Amino acid sequence: MPNITFIDAQGESRTVEGETGSTVMETAVRNGVPGIEAECGGACACATCHVYVDEAWAAKTGHAESMEEDMLDFAFDVRPTSRLSCQIRIKDDLDGLVVRTPLRQG
């Protein structure tokens, strides 16, 4: 099973095991990763699972589709590697994926 490393805004890192076929968001929620609220449950309707994909992994995770880009308009501090973690499907070749969770407003 692929490992995913989540790094929070303070630099604290946690590596969890992801299940092939699930999403990065589902993996974060299952493992209690802070900073991934996932209020809509993965329907690409809220932007509360916003992450920054590490530069080294950006090509492998792909680019946001138009619906995801529209939702990212509601996210705080969007960057070139911003993605919604509910839209990143875990594949075996994502073993070692690194994503960062942004500093949350409020």
Side-chain angles (χ1 to χ4, degrees), residues 5 10 16-18 20 24 43 47-48 57 64-65 79 86 89 93 95 98 100 103 105:
T5 299
Q10 288 73 39
V16 298
E17 202 172 77
T20 301
V24 171
T48 61
W57 292 93
E65 299 290 326
R79 299 178 186 171
C86 68
R89 185 93 26 212
D93 68 348
D95 184 35
V98 176
R100 288 173 167 68
L103 186 62
Q105 277 188 306

Side-chain angles (χ1 to χ4, degrees), residues 85-97:
S85 59
C86 68
Q87 299 301 297
I88 304 172
R89 185 93 26 212
I90 298 173
K91 302 174 285 190
D92 290 337
D93 68 348
L94 291 183
D95 184 35
L97 174 65

Side-chain angles (χ1 to χ4, degrees), residues 52-61 79-82 98-100:
Y52 306 119
V53 175
D54 188 86
E55 286 284 336
W57 292 93
K60 278 197 174 181
T61 57
R79 299 178 186 171
T81 61
S82 286
V98 176
V99 297
R100 288 173 167 68

